[in-house]
Amino acid sequence: MKNIRVRFAPSPTGYLHVGGLRTALYNYLFAKRNNGKFILRIEDTDQSRYVEGAVENLINALKWSGLEFDEGPEKDGGFGPYFQSQRLDIYKKYAADLVKNKNAYYCFCSPERLTALRDEQKSQNLQAKYDKHCLSLSETEIKEKLDARIPYVIRLNIPSFEKVVFNDIIRNRVEFDTATIDDQVLIKSDGFPTYHLANVIDDHLMDISHVIRGEEWLSSTPKHVLLYNFFGWEIPQFAHLPLLLNPDKTKLSKRQGDVAVEDYRAKGYSPEALLNFVALLGWNAGDDKEFYYMDELIEKFSLERVNNSGAVFDIQKLNWLNTEHFRKLPKENLLSQLKSILADSEFNDANYSDEYLLLIIESMIERVTSVKEILEKSPYFFTDPLSYEEESKAKNWKPETPELLNELAKRFALLGKITDKHDFEKPLKELAAEKEIGAGKLIHPLRLAVSGMSTGPGVYDLLYIIGKEKTISRIGKAVKAI
RNA sequence: GGCGCGUUCGUCUAGUGGCUUAGGACGCCGCCCUCUCAAGGCGGAGAUCACGGGUUCGAACCCCGUACGCGCUACCA
């Protein structure tokens, strides 16, 4: 079997789309599974869409996701450059060959004529297609126009009434009639190639064996097939991936939620979870397994098992997977994450011991789905309560509460050095018994006083972590404040 | 409008002619546990396999048609 070489070929629009992430992942998995190479190529042939820093963002997002490319920008594998904008001479040369063989031709039509033509066709409910007006230009006419510096494009000369048939790994046989295919512009008037030309030339020159890309490319694949034929090149294997969809089943878009990998990163999702989730959107191994690490994905992946219908991006399932992955992270990882998040937070002035932070992690891990959430759900480990939850106040703060809590604080103060969370339990239970009330009558207001909240770890864990001194002082504060 | 691709619980999916009274997961609901919130355990509801024809002893699975959805229809990728 020939060498497996696949590419992820995004256009640098500013960020990595999760759909793009999945495309990249499938390419990556396929490459790794088959001892092939995963190549990153930047399709920056549209000057009007140039975005500052986009390539850097893209590469960073891929790196964060763990999809390291074998060849690409700054990583030459002998097939570079990997920026299409740096390969203009190559495209020009091949375009000239096409023109010489009459498989492409110069077109000098103005945008106005093109628009008028399209409008006319549309009004008659005809397919919008270039009318090959410039195909009939003579050599001398072309030369004259060229000399006169009239702007031109080079168009693909689609033969009429032929069938173009190709095989797609995911969709099997696909057939198009050339009568329905437009004479695609190959070289734009600014001298840049369009995607269609550049992609075929680069895939051939870069020795790409499998073209794995989104379904939106399926309709233009016959143009590419024609180009391969005109050049006399071997056609790569195609695999057109189903689209990722919004909940309303339209193509996944910004308007209906987050689509950038960096958005998910910012929200605290882990790359492992995001990758695991996205891998399952359109692929499965044929069994019930849903939790995967990268190495297992590589081991099991095959294009043949990719689905052929679009998949809704279901954030709930992502949340679940994120949680599953999160629970399996080693403590040291969580600790270092928490430290760096704290450093960037409003609580960055204090210095917390590893021991302290580890206790927090242990108490919160079942209650959050990311380290970031620890700060959101339990700020009380880092600051005294700034306010007290109204609902809990109404429910748990009774007229006799201040007196009870003061008494409890007094008894806590009598405790020696705290060595176990249950040290707090005894005085609390005793007081409850003496007053002939349920422990809950003390526990709920106590939690509120100490944390300002009504939810969180077990109350004894809570007290043990924040410590005896802070517990007592916070009770004092709460009694005054509430 | 034309062309292409698709259609199994709300969602992701298993299923490739008899093993299927269509399996799993997320979510949802209930119960248990319990100082709260979670986590965990147990259980439940939820799909006439888009619809209509055909082929077959037998079809979610094969064929044809229809409907619907999506994609493409740019000197964007």
Side-chain angles (χ1 to χ4, degrees), chain A residues 349-370:
Chain A
D349 48 344
N351 212 3
Y352 304 101
S353 69
D354 286 3
E355 193 194 0
Y356 183 69
L357 296 178
L358 248 9
L359 282 173
I360 294 169
I361 289 168
E362 200 181 328
S363 72
M364 289 304 290
I365 188 145
E366 295 294 339
R367 280 163 254 265
V368 295
T369 58
S370 71

mmCIF file with all atom_site columns, all heavy atoms in Angstrom, chain A residues 349-370:
data_model
loop_
_atom_site.group_PDB
_atom_site.id
_atom_site.type_symbol
_atom_site.label_atom_id
_atom_site.label_alt_id
_atom_site.label_comp_id
_atom_site.label_asym_id
_atom_site.label_entity_id
_atom_site.label_seq_id
_atom_site.pdbx_PDB_ins_code
_atom_site.Cartn_x
_atom_site.Cartn_y
_atom_site.Cartn_z
_atom_site.occupancy
_atom_site.B_iso_or_equiv
_atom_site.pdbx_formal_charge
_atom_site.auth_seq_id
_atom_site.auth_comp_id
_atom_site.auth_asym_id
_atom_site.auth_atom_id
_atom_site.pdbx_PDB_model_num
ATOM 1   N N   . ASP A 1 349 ? -3.854  37.424 45.560 1.00 0.00 ? 349 ASP A N   1
ATOM 2   C CA  . ASP A 1 349 ? -2.927  38.032 46.518 1.00 0.00 ? 349 ASP A CA  1
ATOM 3   C C   . ASP A 1 349 ? -2.505  37.079 47.636 1.00 0.00 ? 349 ASP A C   1
ATOM 4   O O   . ASP A 1 349 ? -1.421  37.195 48.168 1.00 0.00 ? 349 ASP A O   1
ATOM 5   C CB  . ASP A 1 349 ? -3.528  39.316 47.102 1.00 0.00 ? 349 ASP A CB  1
ATOM 6   C CG  . ASP A 1 349 ? -4.968  39.107 47.568 1.00 0.00 ? 349 ASP A CG  1
ATOM 7   O OD1 . ASP A 1 349 ? -5.556  38.078 47.158 1.00 0.00 ? 349 ASP A OD1 1
ATOM 8   O OD2 . ASP A 1 349 ? -5.485  39.940 48.334 1.00 0.00 ? 349 ASP A OD2 1
ATOM 9   N N   . ALA A 1 350 ? -3.347  36.124 47.944 1.00 0.00 ? 350 ALA A N   1
ATOM 10  C CA  . ALA A 1 350 ? -3.010  35.214 49.036 1.00 0.00 ? 350 ALA A CA  1
ATOM 11  C C   . ALA A 1 350 ? -2.158  34.045 48.542 1.00 0.00 ? 350 ALA A C   1
ATOM 12  O O   . ALA A 1 350 ? -2.131  33.736 47.361 1.00 0.00 ? 350 ALA A O   1
ATOM 13  C CB  . ALA A 1 350 ? -4.281  34.685 49.678 1.00 0.00 ? 350 ALA A CB  1
ATOM 14  N N   . ASN A 1 351 ? -1.488  33.442 49.494 1.00 0.00 ? 351 ASN A N   1
ATOM 15  C CA  . ASN A 1 351 ? -0.643  32.309 49.165 1.00 0.00 ? 351 ASN A CA  1
ATOM 16  C C   . ASN A 1 351 ? -1.222  31.059 49.813 1.00 0.00 ? 351 ASN A C   1
ATOM 17  O O   . ASN A 1 351 ? -1.339  30.999 51.034 1.00 0.00 ? 351 ASN A O   1
ATOM 18  C CB  . ASN A 1 351 ? 0.767   32.584 49.711 1.00 0.00 ? 351 ASN A CB  1
ATOM 19  C CG  . ASN A 1 351 ? 1.796   31.957 48.820 1.00 0.00 ? 351 ASN A CG  1
ATOM 20  O OD1 . ASN A 1 351 ? 1.471   31.384 47.783 1.00 0.00 ? 351 ASN A OD1 1
ATOM 21  N ND2 . ASN A 1 351 ? 3.048   32.045 49.216 1.00 0.00 ? 351 ASN A ND2 1
ATOM 22  N N   . TYR A 1 352 ? -1.593  30.097 49.020 1.00 0.00 ? 352 TYR A N   1
ATOM 23  C CA  . TYR A 1 352 ? -2.216  28.903 49.574 1.00 0.00 ? 352 TYR A CA  1
ATOM 24  C C   . TYR A 1 352 ? -1.264  27.721 49.490 1.00 0.00 ? 352 TYR A C   1
ATOM 25  O O   . TYR A 1 352 ? -0.551  27.559 48.508 1.00 0.00 ? 352 TYR A O   1
ATOM 26  C CB  . TYR A 1 352 ? -3.493  28.570 48.809 1.00 0.00 ? 352 TYR A CB  1
ATOM 27  C CG  . TYR A 1 352 ? -4.478  29.720 48.792 1.00 0.00 ? 352 TYR A CG  1
ATOM 28  C CD1 . TYR A 1 352 ? -4.601  30.530 47.668 1.00 0.00 ? 352 TYR A CD1 1
ATOM 29  C CD2 . TYR A 1 352 ? -5.272  29.987 49.908 1.00 0.00 ? 352 TYR A CD2 1
ATOM 30  C CE1 . TYR A 1 352 ? -5.489  31.592 47.650 1.00 0.00 ? 352 TYR A CE1 1
ATOM 31  C CE2 . TYR A 1 352 ? -6.162  31.046 49.902 1.00 0.00 ? 352 TYR A CE2 1
ATOM 32  C CZ  . TYR A 1 352 ? -6.279  31.849 48.772 1.00 0.00 ? 352 TYR A CZ  1
ATOM 33  O OH  . TYR A 1 352 ? -7.154  32.888 48.764 1.00 0.00 ? 352 TYR A OH  1
ATOM 34  N N   . SER A 1 353 ? -1.264  26.917 50.543 1.00 0.00 ? 353 SER A N   1
ATOM 35  C CA  . SER A 1 353 ? -0.384  25.748 50.525 1.00 0.00 ? 353 SER A CA  1
ATOM 36  C C   . SER A 1 353 ? -0.982  24.667 49.633 1.00 0.00 ? 353 SER A C   1
ATOM 37  O O   . SER A 1 353 ? -2.194  24.614 49.424 1.00 0.00 ? 353 SER A O   1
ATOM 38  C CB  . SER A 1 353 ? -0.224  25.197 51.942 1.00 0.00 ? 353 SER A CB  1
ATOM 39  O OG  . SER A 1 353 ? -1.453  24.617 52.365 1.00 0.00 ? 353 SER A OG  1
ATOM 40  N N   . ASP A 1 354 ? -0.114  23.819 49.124 1.00 0.00 ? 354 ASP A N   1
ATOM 41  C CA  . ASP A 1 354 ? -0.579  22.700 48.298 1.00 0.00 ? 354 ASP A CA  1
ATOM 42  C C   . ASP A 1 354 ? -1.551  21.842 49.094 1.00 0.00 ? 354 ASP A C   1
ATOM 43  O O   . ASP A 1 354 ? -2.556  21.368 48.574 1.00 0.00 ? 354 ASP A O   1
ATOM 44  C CB  . ASP A 1 354 ? 0.614   21.821 47.870 1.00 0.00 ? 354 ASP A CB  1
ATOM 45  C CG  . ASP A 1 354 ? 1.439   22.506 46.786 1.00 0.00 ? 354 ASP A CG  1
ATOM 46  O OD1 . ASP A 1 354 ? 1.108   23.665 46.437 1.00 0.00 ? 354 ASP A OD1 1
ATOM 47  O OD2 . ASP A 1 354 ? 2.400   21.891 46.306 1.00 0.00 ? 354 ASP A OD2 1
ATOM 48  N N   . GLU A 1 355 ? -1.239  21.679 50.360 1.00 0.00 ? 355 GLU A N   1
ATOM 49  C CA  . GLU A 1 355 ? -2.065  20.841 51.227 1.00 0.00 ? 355 GLU A CA  1
ATOM 50  C C   . GLU A 1 355 ? -3.489  21.386 51.293 1.00 0.00 ? 355 GLU A C   1
ATOM 51  O O   . GLU A 1 355 ? -4.461  20.652 51.164 1.00 0.00 ? 355 GLU A O   1
ATOM 52  C CB  . GLU A 1 355 ? -1.434  20.822 52.624 1.00 0.00 ? 355 GLU A CB  1
ATOM 53  C CG  . GLU A 1 355 ? -1.985  19.757 53.538 1.00 0.00 ? 355 GLU A CG  1
ATOM 54  C CD  . GLU A 1 355 ? -1.563  20.014 54.979 1.00 0.00 ? 355 GLU A CD  1
ATOM 55  O OE1 . GLU A 1 355 ? -0.860  21.015 55.239 1.00 0.00 ? 355 GLU A OE1 1
ATOM 56  O OE2 . GLU A 1 355 ? -1.958  19.205 55.841 1.00 0.00 ? 355 GLU A OE2 1
ATOM 57  N N   . TYR A 1 356 ? -3.583  22.701 51.457 1.00 0.00 ? 356 TYR A N   1
ATOM 58  C CA  . TYR A 1 356 ? -4.877  23.366 51.527 1.00 0.00 ? 356 TYR A CA  1
ATOM 59  C C   . TYR A 1 356 ? -5.641  23.203 50.216 1.00 0.00 ? 356 TYR A C   1
ATOM 60  O O   . TYR A 1 356 ? -6.815  22.820 50.191 1.00 0.00 ? 356 TYR A O   1
ATOM 61  C CB  . TYR A 1 356 ? -4.652  24.853 51.832 1.00 0.00 ? 356 TYR A CB  1
ATOM 62  C CG  . TYR A 1 356 ? -5.929  25.662 51.994 1.00 0.00 ? 356 TYR A CG  1
ATOM 63  C CD1 . TYR A 1 356 ? -6.763  25.470 53.089 1.00 0.00 ? 356 TYR A CD1 1
ATOM 64  C CD2 . TYR A 1 356 ? -6.285  26.627 51.048 1.00 0.00 ? 356 TYR A CD2 1
ATOM 65  C CE1 . TYR A 1 356 ? -7.929  26.209 53.241 1.00 0.00 ? 356 TYR A CE1 1
ATOM 66  C CE2 . TYR A 1 356 ? -7.450  27.375 51.189 1.00 0.00 ? 356 TYR A CE2 1
ATOM 67  C CZ  . TYR A 1 356 ? -8.273  27.161 52.287 1.00 0.00 ? 356 TYR A CZ  1
ATOM 68  O OH  . TYR A 1 356 ? -9.424  27.891 52.431 1.00 0.00 ? 356 TYR A OH  1
ATOM 69  N N   . LEU A 1 357 ? -4.960  23.463 49.114 1.00 0.00 ? 357 LEU A N   1
ATOM 70  C CA  . LEU A 1 357 ? -5.612  23.383 47.810 1.00 0.00 ? 357 LEU A CA  1
ATOM 71  C C   . LEU A 1 357 ? -6.061  21.959 47.488 1.00 0.00 ? 357 LEU A C   1
ATOM 72  O O   . LEU A 1 357 ? -7.115  21.738 46.906 1.00 0.00 ? 357 LEU A O   1
ATOM 73  C CB  . LEU A 1 357 ? -4.671  23.907 46.714 1.00 0.00 ? 357 LEU A CB  1
ATOM 74  C CG  . LEU A 1 357 ? -4.296  25.393 46.832 1.00 0.00 ? 357 LEU A CG  1
ATOM 75  C CD1 . LEU A 1 357 ? -3.335  25.800 45.726 1.00 0.00 ? 357 LEU A CD1 1
ATOM 76  C CD2 . LEU A 1 357 ? -5.540  26.283 46.798 1.00 0.00 ? 357 LEU A CD2 1
ATOM 77  N N   . LEU A 1 358 ? -5.251  21.013 47.908 1.00 0.00 ? 358 LEU A N   1
ATOM 78  C CA  . LEU A 1 358 ? -5.588  19.609 47.661 1.00 0.00 ? 358 LEU A CA  1
ATOM 79  C C   . LEU A 1 358 ? -6.860  19.206 48.420 1.00 0.00 ? 358 LEU A C   1
ATOM 80  O O   . LEU A 1 358 ? -7.682  18.449 47.916 1.00 0.00 ? 358 LEU A O   1
ATOM 81  C CB  . LEU A 1 358 ? -4.420  18.723 48.101 1.00 0.00 ? 358 LEU A CB  1
ATOM 82  C CG  . LEU A 1 358 ? -3.586  17.950 47.064 1.00 0.00 ? 358 LEU A CG  1
ATOM 83  C CD1 . LEU A 1 358 ? -3.885  18.304 45.619 1.00 0.00 ? 358 LEU A CD1 1
ATOM 84  C CD2 . LEU A 1 358 ? -2.113  18.040 47.362 1.00 0.00 ? 358 LEU A CD2 1
ATOM 85  N N   . LEU A 1 359 ? -7.007  19.741 49.627 1.00 0.00 ? 359 LEU A N   1
ATOM 86  C CA  . LEU A 1 359 ? -8.219  19.461 50.400 1.00 0.00 ? 359 LEU A CA  1
ATOM 87  C C   . LEU A 1 359 ? -9.442  20.018 49.687 1.00 0.00 ? 359 LEU A C   1
ATOM 88  O O   . LEU A 1 359 ? -10.495 19.385 49.635 1.00 0.00 ? 359 LEU A O   1
ATOM 89  C CB  . LEU A 1 359 ? -8.109  20.107 51.799 1.00 0.00 ? 359 LEU A CB  1
ATOM 90  C CG  . LEU A 1 359 ? -7.246  19.381 52.817 1.00 0.00 ? 359 LEU A CG  1
ATOM 91  C CD1 . LEU A 1 359 ? -7.114  20.227 54.081 1.00 0.00 ? 359 LEU A CD1 1
ATOM 92  C CD2 . LEU A 1 359 ? -7.840  18.012 53.167 1.00 0.00 ? 359 LEU A CD2 1
ATOM 93  N N   . ILE A 1 360 ? -9.289  21.208 49.139 1.00 0.00 ? 360 ILE A N   1
ATOM 94  C CA  . ILE A 1 360 ? -10.388 21.836 48.405 1.00 0.00 ? 360 ILE A CA  1
ATOM 95  C C   . ILE A 1 360 ? -10.749 20.981 47.191 1.00 0.00 ? 360 ILE A C   1
ATOM 96  O O   . ILE A 1 360 ? -11.924 20.699 46.927 1.00 0.00 ? 360 ILE A O   1
ATOM 97  C CB  . ILE A 1 360 ? -9.991  23.264 47.956 1.00 0.00 ? 360 ILE A CB  1
ATOM 98  C CG1 . ILE A 1 360 ? -9.819  24.159 49.181 1.00 0.00 ? 360 ILE A CG1 1
ATOM 99  C CG2 . ILE A 1 360 ? -11.032 23.825 46.994 1.00 0.00 ? 360 ILE A CG2 1
ATOM 100 C CD1 . ILE A 1 360 ? -9.171  25.490 48.868 1.00 0.00 ? 360 ILE A CD1 1
ATOM 101 N N   . ILE A 1 361 ? -9.724  20.575 46.464 1.00 0.00 ? 361 ILE A N   1
ATOM 102 C CA  . ILE A 1 361 ? -9.960  19.765 45.262 1.00 0.00 ? 361 ILE A CA  1
ATOM 103 C C   . ILE A 1 361 ? -10.712 18.495 45.630 1.00 0.00 ? 361 ILE A C   1
ATOM 104 O O   . ILE A 1 361 ? -11.700 18.127 44.990 1.00 0.00 ? 361 ILE A O   1
ATOM 105 C CB  . ILE A 1 361 ? -8.614  19.433 44.581 1.00 0.00 ? 361 ILE A CB  1
ATOM 106 C CG1 . ILE A 1 361 ? -8.028  20.691 43.930 1.00 0.00 ? 361 ILE A CG1 1
ATOM 107 C CG2 . ILE A 1 361 ? -8.790  18.320 43.561 1.00 0.00 ? 361 ILE A CG2 1
ATOM 108 C CD1 . ILE A 1 361 ? -6.603  20.560 43.483 1.00 0.00 ? 361 ILE A CD1 1
ATOM 109 N N   . GLU A 1 362 ? -10.241 17.859 46.670 1.00 0.00 ? 362 GLU A N   1
ATOM 110 C CA  . GLU A 1 362 ? -10.861 16.603 47.083 1.00 0.00 ? 362 GLU A CA  1
ATOM 111 C C   . GLU A 1 362 ? -12.340 16.791 47.439 1.00 0.00 ? 362 GLU A C   1
ATOM 112 O O   . GLU A 1 362 ? -13.185 15.975 47.097 1.00 0.00 ? 362 GLU A O   1
ATOM 113 C CB  . GLU A 1 362 ? -10.104 16.060 48.297 1.00 0.00 ? 362 GLU A CB  1
ATOM 114 C CG  . GLU A 1 362 ? -10.304 14.584 48.526 1.00 0.00 ? 362 GLU A CG  1
ATOM 115 C CD  . GLU A 1 362 ? -9.531  14.135 49.753 1.00 0.00 ? 362 GLU A CD  1
ATOM 116 O OE1 . GLU A 1 362 ? -8.442  14.714 50.042 1.00 0.00 ? 362 GLU A OE1 1
ATOM 117 O OE2 . GLU A 1 362 ? -10.018 13.231 50.443 1.00 0.00 ? 362 GLU A OE2 1
ATOM 118 N N   . SER A 1 363 ? -12.628 17.906 48.096 1.00 0.00 ? 363 SER A N   1
ATOM 119 C CA  . SER A 1 363 ? -14.010 18.119 48.534 1.00 0.00 ? 363 SER A CA  1
ATOM 120 C C   . SER A 1 363 ? -14.924 18.580 47.401 1.00 0.00 ? 363 SER A C   1
ATOM 121 O O   . SER A 1 363 ? -16.126 18.431 47.457 1.00 0.00 ? 363 SER A O   1
ATOM 122 C CB  . SER A 1 363 ? -14.047 19.148 49.665 1.00 0.00 ? 363 SER A CB  1
ATOM 123 O OG  . SER A 1 363 ? -13.768 20.448 49.164 1.00 0.00 ? 363 SER A OG  1
ATOM 124 N N   . MET A 1 364 ? -14.330 19.164 46.384 1.00 0.00 ? 364 MET A N   1
ATOM 125 C CA  . MET A 1 364 ? -15.148 19.733 45.318 1.00 0.00 ? 364 MET A CA  1
ATOM 126 C C   . MET A 1 364 ? -15.204 18.891 44.042 1.00 0.00 ? 364 MET A C   1
ATOM 127 O O   . MET A 1 364 ? -16.064 19.127 43.184 1.00 0.00 ? 364 MET A O   1
ATOM 128 C CB  . MET A 1 364 ? -14.637 21.141 44.975 1.00 0.00 ? 364 MET A CB  1
ATOM 129 C CG  . MET A 1 364 ? -14.910 22.194 46.036 1.00 0.00 ? 364 MET A CG  1
ATOM 130 S SD  . MET A 1 364 ? -16.678 22.355 46.464 1.00 0.00 ? 364 MET A SD  1
ATOM 131 C CE  . MET A 1 364 ? -17.328 23.110 44.974 1.00 0.00 ? 364 MET A CE  1
ATOM 132 N N   . ILE A 1 365 ? -14.319 17.947 43.899 1.00 0.00 ? 365 ILE A N   1
ATOM 133 C CA  . ILE A 1 365 ? -14.198 17.257 42.612 1.00 0.00 ? 365 ILE A CA  1
ATOM 134 C C   . ILE A 1 365 ? -15.492 16.602 42.142 1.00 0.00 ? 365 ILE A C   1
ATOM 135 O O   . ILE A 1 365 ? -15.787 16.596 40.949 1.00 0.00 ? 365 ILE A O   1
ATOM 136 C CB  . ILE A 1 365 ? -13.029 16.246 42.635 1.00 0.00 ? 365 ILE A CB  1
ATOM 137 C CG1 . ILE A 1 365 ? -12.808 15.689 41.225 1.00 0.00 ? 365 ILE A CG1 1
ATOM 138 C CG2 . ILE A 1 365 ? -13.286 15.106 43.613 1.00 0.00 ? 365 ILE A CG2 1
ATOM 139 C CD1 . ILE A 1 365 ? -11.392 15.424 40.888 1.00 0.00 ? 365 ILE A CD1 1
ATOM 140 N N   . GLU A 1 366 ? -16.296 16.107 43.067 1.00 0.00 ? 366 GLU A N   1
ATOM 141 C CA  . GLU A 1 366 ? -17.563 15.483 42.668 1.00 0.00 ? 366 GLU A CA  1
ATOM 142 C C   . GLU A 1 366 ? -18.651 16.519 42.363 1.00 0.00 ? 366 GLU A C   1
ATOM 143 O O   . GLU A 1 366 ? -19.743 16.182 41.948 1.00 0.00 ? 366 GLU A O   1
ATOM 144 C CB  . GLU A 1 366 ? -18.078 14.564 43.785 1.00 0.00 ? 366 GLU A CB  1
ATOM 145 C CG  . GLU A 1 366 ? -17.193 13.362 44.073 1.00 0.00 ? 366 GLU A CG  1
ATOM 146 C CD  . GLU A 1 366 ? -17.126 12.375 42.915 1.00 0.00 ? 366 GLU A CD  1
ATOM 147 O OE1 . GLU A 1 366 ? -18.040 12.385 42.069 1.00 0.00 ? 366 GLU A OE1 1
ATOM 148 O OE2 . GLU A 1 366 ? -16.151 11.613 42.861 1.00 0.00 ? 366 GLU A OE2 1
ATOM 149 N N   . ARG A 1 367 ? -18.333 17.758 42.652 1.00 0.00 ? 367 ARG A N   1
ATOM 150 C CA  . ARG A 1 367 ? -19.359 18.795 42.509 1.00 0.00 ? 367 ARG A CA  1
ATOM 151 C C   . ARG A 1 367 ? -19.136 19.769 41.359 1.00 0.00 ? 367 ARG A C   1
ATOM 152 O O   . ARG A 1 367 ? -19.932 20.666 41.141 1.00 0.00 ? 367 ARG A O   1
ATOM 153 C CB  . ARG A 1 367 ? -19.448 19.591 43.825 1.00 0.00 ? 367 ARG A CB  1
ATOM 154 C CG  . ARG A 1 367 ? -20.259 18.896 44.893 1.00 0.00 ? 367 ARG A CG  1
ATOM 155 C CD  . ARG A 1 367 ? -19.973 19.487 46.273 1.00 0.00 ? 367 ARG A CD  1
ATOM 156 N NE  . ARG A 1 367 ? -19.150 18.543 47.028 1.00 0.00 ? 367 ARG A NE  1
ATOM 157 C CZ  . ARG A 1 367 ? -19.660 17.659 47.873 1.00 0.00 ? 367 ARG A CZ  1
ATOM 158 N NH1 . ARG A 1 367 ? -20.928 17.625 48.115 1.00 0.00 ? 367 ARG A NH1 1
ATOM 159 N NH2 . ARG A 1 367 ? -18.857 16.794 48.475 1.00 0.00 ? 367 ARG A NH2 1
ATOM 160 N N   . VAL A 1 368 ? -18.026 19.601 40.661 1.00 0.00 ? 368 VAL A N   1
ATOM 161 C CA  . VAL A 1 368 ? -17.732 20.515 39.550 1.00 0.00 ? 368 VAL A CA  1
ATOM 162 C C   . VAL A 1 368 ? -17.305 19.708 38.325 1.00 0.00 ? 368 VAL A C   1
ATOM 163 O O   . VAL A 1 368 ? -17.036 18.501 38.412 1.00 0.00 ? 368 VAL A O   1
ATOM 164 C CB  . VAL A 1 368 ? -16.593 21.502 39.912 1.00 0.00 ? 368 VAL A CB  1
ATOM 165 C CG1 . VAL A 1 368 ? -17.026 22.427 41.026 1.00 0.00 ? 368 VAL A CG1 1
ATOM 166 C CG2 . VAL A 1 368 ? -15.318 20.744 40.283 1.00 0.00 ? 368 VAL A CG2 1
ATOM 167 N N   . THR A 1 369 ? -17.258 20.381 37.206 1.00 0.00 ? 369 THR A N   1
ATOM 168 C CA  . THR A 1 369 ? -16.834 19.688 35.986 1.00 0.00 ? 369 THR A CA  1
ATOM 169 C C   . THR A 1 369 ? -15.582 20.322 35.387 1.00 0.00 ? 369 THR A C   1
ATOM 170 O O   . THR A 1 369 ? -15.146 19.952 34.310 1.00 0.00 ? 369 THR A O   1
ATOM 171 C CB  . THR A 1 369 ? -17.958 19.721 34.928 1.00 0.00 ? 369 THR A CB  1
ATOM 172 O OG1 . THR A 1 369 ? -18.293 21.078 34.657 1.00 0.00 ? 369 THR A OG1 1
ATOM 173 C CG2 . THR A 1 369 ? -19.183 18.983 35.421 1.00 0.00 ? 369 THR A CG2 1
ATOM 174 N N   . SER A 1 370 ? -15.044 21.290 36.083 1.00 0.00 ? 370 SER A N   1
ATOM 175 C CA  . SER A 1 370 ? -13.751 21.841 35.664 1.00 0.00 ? 370 SER A CA  1
ATOM 176 C C   . SER A 1 370 ? -13.137 22.532 36.877 1.00 0.00 ? 370 SER A C   1
ATOM 177 O O   . SER A 1 370 ? -13.852 22.866 37.831 1.00 0.00 ? 370 SER A O   1
ATOM 178 C CB  . SER A 1 370 ? -13.923 22.852 34.524 1.00 0.00 ? 370 SER A CB  1
ATOM 179 O OG  . SER A 1 370 ? -14.517 24.034 35.012 1.00 0.00 ? 370 SER A OG  1
#
